[in-house]
Amino acid sequence: ISAMQIYSNNAIIQEQACGALWALCTNKENRMIVIRAGATPCIIRALMNHIDVLDLVCTAMGCLRTISPETEARKIINEMSGTNYFCKAMTTHPLVPGIQRDACNCLSNCAVNLDKNEVALITDCEIEAISNAMVTHEDEPSVMSGACFVLKNFSFKEHNIRYIRLVDGMVETLEKVSQYCEDTRARRDASIILERIVSTKMDDDVLEDQVLMSISQIMSEDDWIGAHRKRHQIVELMEEYDWSRKVLESVFQSLTLLFRQHAHDREMIGGDHIISNVITKMKRFKRTANIQIHGCKFLELMMKRNTNCQQKILEAGGCEALAAASSLHLSNAVVQIVATNILKTLSVEFECWFQLRGLEFSVAQIMKAHTKTPQIKLNCQEIINNFSFHEGG
């Protein structure tokens, strides 16, 4: 542990030290001694500093898998946001089954607090990392077992089961695992998750209809009630029912309408919090075309009426959301029009070019896919011109 602290920048020492600690922890009697000596923060820091080093990540995740069932280790992991680094390890090394398996087991151990009888809220990065692991390693029983086990633990919380259900292709994947996976535990856990998904879906369908009716009633109220109260009620519903695609789509449409109807309250309607919230939801439901369309329409309208919004969108990660929308909905002309309308304006800023250059975003691919749509071609050409200026500078 002292060597890890002194030589924190040396990946080889970190990897070998993690291996030595892992070997010690295979004996259950040693685990609490190792944990209380300060091993957990050292291993997490090794992950933070050397997430790209495959051998180190494999060894560190193996050691963390062994100690994370212990309450004291989990407490430190949570304090250091260790689960974020488990997910980062999974996304950085997506093709390595051992990392995917061990990270899923670590996430599972951190998902449930048996002492307090609590289940953590599943995060966007957790559900994305787990679902990607299931797609990439569908023929690897150990990975599927770890993934289904962590999802089962998360599914004890109703809020989490909704997010699991809404992941594209998740139900189909779980059905396949429950029937054909070689691992008995994976089949059993997948079946349990599916039962919980079915039991909540019918109730949620009714609930969504009620919320949509509430939004309609709010928007139909007399104008004297004021934009502030309407916006407050709409945003409350967005935050409370942020698991529902239908509700979010209706919320984005309502915010756009409020922005158009109440010119004197535009600053209030489109504040920093709203921009950040809309972009976060676009990222979460990046595969849902209608959410991308209505989210982009709201952001575009705000930019036209308030030039300060450009910087707010950039700071909130808007480029990443727009790049994802364009890449995942390449053939959808409506998505491309609304996304490139915004990017055309944002691309004037150096920060936009700087953010997009590291993402999977190709203006050329968009143009090639929509040769017969003049607006998309014009938008893309303007983006290319602006990016060329930044590259030349």
Side-chain angles (χ1 to χ4, degrees):
I1 290 170
S2 294
M4 292 182 77
Q5 292 169 339
I6 295 168
Y7 301 101
S8 60
N9 293 326
N10 189 310
I12 296 174
I13 291 175
Q14 298 297 307
E15 191 269 328
Q16 292 178 345
C18 285
L21 293 171
W22 189 8
L24 286 170
C25 289
T26 55
N27 183 338
K28 191 173 182 180
E29 293 178 0
N30 292 335
R31 287 179 197 166
M32 290 311 301
I33 299 171
V34 170
I35 291 167
R36 286 171 181 168
T40 312
C42 287
I43 301 168
I44 296 294
R45 287 193 194 99
L47 271 181
M48 292 179 184
N49 296 333
H50 306 283
I51 198 73
D52 295 322
V53 183
L54 176 59
D55 288 344
L56 183 146
V57 173
C58 286
T59 309
M61 290 310 310
C63 188
L64 287 164
R65 178 187 180 184
T66 305
I67 65 174
S68 58
E70 304 296 338
T71 303
E72 289 184 32
R74 287 201 307 274
K75 184 175 183 294
I76 295 168
I77 289 169
N78 290 330
E79 287 173 353
M80 297 182 70
S81 301
T83 53
N84 290 342
Y85 293 96
F86 301 162
C87 294
K88 195 168 182 180
M90 295 173 77
T91 55
T92 305
H93 307 281
L95 302 179
V96 184
I99 291 175
Q100 305 300 311
R101 176 199 63 223
D102 291 345
C104 281
N105 278 276
C106 289
L107 289 171
S108 180
N109 291 330
C110 294
V112 179
N113 187 329
L114 294 175
D115 297 332
K116 296 183 178 180
N117 197 28
E118 292 178 349
V119 178
L121 287 172
I122 195 166
T123 65
D124 292 340
C125 69
E126 286 169 343
I127 200 162
E128 184 168 357
I130 296 164
S131 58
N132 286 342
M134 296 178 78
V135 171
T136 305
H137 299 277
E138 60 179 346
D139 296 323
E140 180 58 55
S142 66
V143 175
M144 300 308 284
S145 178
C148 289
F149 186 57
V150 65
L151 290 177
K152 185 191 74 172
N153 280 354
F154 273 121
S155 72
F156 283 107
K157 198 177 195 74
E158 188 178 82
H159 186 275
N160 292 338
I161 198 68
R162 287 171 173 148
Y163 280 113
I164 294 167
R165 185 185 78 219
L166 291 170
V167 174
D168 290 318
M170 178 59 76
V171 171
E172 292 79 6
T173 299
L174 288 169
E175 286 173 344
K176 188 176 178 181
V177 174
S178 69
Q179 296 176 47
Y180 305 114
C181 187
E182 294 176 15
D183 188 275
T184 305
R185 192 179 78 169
R187 293 200 304 271
R188 183 196 65 210
D189 289 345
S191 297
I192 291 170
I193 300 164
L194 285 168
E195 287 173 9
R196 291 173 182 168
I197 285 174
V198 170
S199 67
T200 59
K201 188 177 185 307
M202 290 182 64
D203 291 339
D204 282 351
D205 286 344
V206 174
L207 185 58
E208 282 180 320
D209 289 340
Q210 292 173 345
V211 176
L212 292 175
M213 190 176 296
S214 295
I215 292 173
S216 178
Q217 289 172 346
I218 291 168
M219 295 303 294
S220 64
E221 289 176 345
D222 292 336
D223 280 347
W224 63 265
I225 289 175
H228 185 275
R229 179 177 164 184
K230 287 184 178 182
R231 189 211 71 151
H232 179 72
Q233 291 174 325
I234 294 292
V235 170
E236 276 193 338
L237 290 173
M238 174 169 67
E239 292 176 348
E240 185 175 354
Y241 299 97
D242 63 350
W243 49 267
S244 168
R245 292 185 178 98
K246 290 180 183 177
V247 171
L248 288 177
E249 183 182 338
S250 178
V251 164
F252 289 175
Q253 289 176 300
S254 299
L255 288 173
T256 302
L257 185 59
L258 279 175
F259 200 81
R260 285 188 175 126
Q261 290 177 338
H262 299 272
H264 56 288
D265 288 319
R266 282 171 183 160
E267 282 287 337
M268 175 272 298
I269 295 169
D272 292 7
H273 174 64
I274 298 296
I275 292 172
S276 177
N277 224 327
V278 168
I279 290 171
T280 298
K281 303 303 183 290
M282 287 175 66
K283 289 179 182 178
R284 178 176 294 163
F285 295 100
K286 57 189 176 186
R287 297 183 186 278
T288 305
N290 281 345
I291 285 180
Q292 303 307 309
I293 291 167
H294 293 295
C296 284
K297 284 183 176 179
F298 175 66
L299 294 176
E300 182 188 3
L301 183 62
M302 289 179 61
M303 281 186 7
K304 285 181 178 178
R305 308 294 170 86
N306 186 348
T307 54
N308 293 331
C309 286
Q310 294 181 31
Q311 191 58 37
K312 294 175 184 177
I313 291 169
L314 288 169
E315 291 171 356
C319 288
E320 182 185 344
L322 294 165
S326 293
S327 300
L328 293 170
H329 304 277
L330 188 60
S331 62
N332 189 318
V334 180
V335 172
Q336 299 305 333
I337 288 171
V338 292
T340 56
N341 279 349
I342 299 175
L343 285 170
K344 175 183 66 176
T345 304
L346 291 179
S347 62
V348 174
E349 305 292 335
F350 174 83
E351 182 65 22
C352 176
W353 169 77
F354 187 78
Q355 290 182 22
L356 284 175
R357 67 177 186 163
L359 302 173
E360 292 184 10
F361 174 74
S362 172
V363 181
Q365 282 186 345
I366 298 171
M367 292 181 74
K368 186 177 179 182
H370 299 279
T371 56
K372 296 181 179 179
T373 311
Q375 187 174 349
I376 295 175
K377 290 174 67 179
L378 288 170
N379 287 348
C380 287
Q381 190 57 57
E382 193 163 337
I383 294 168
I384 290 171
N385 293 342
N386 289 332
F387 283 0
S388 297
F389 175 79
H390 299 312
E391 288 169 359

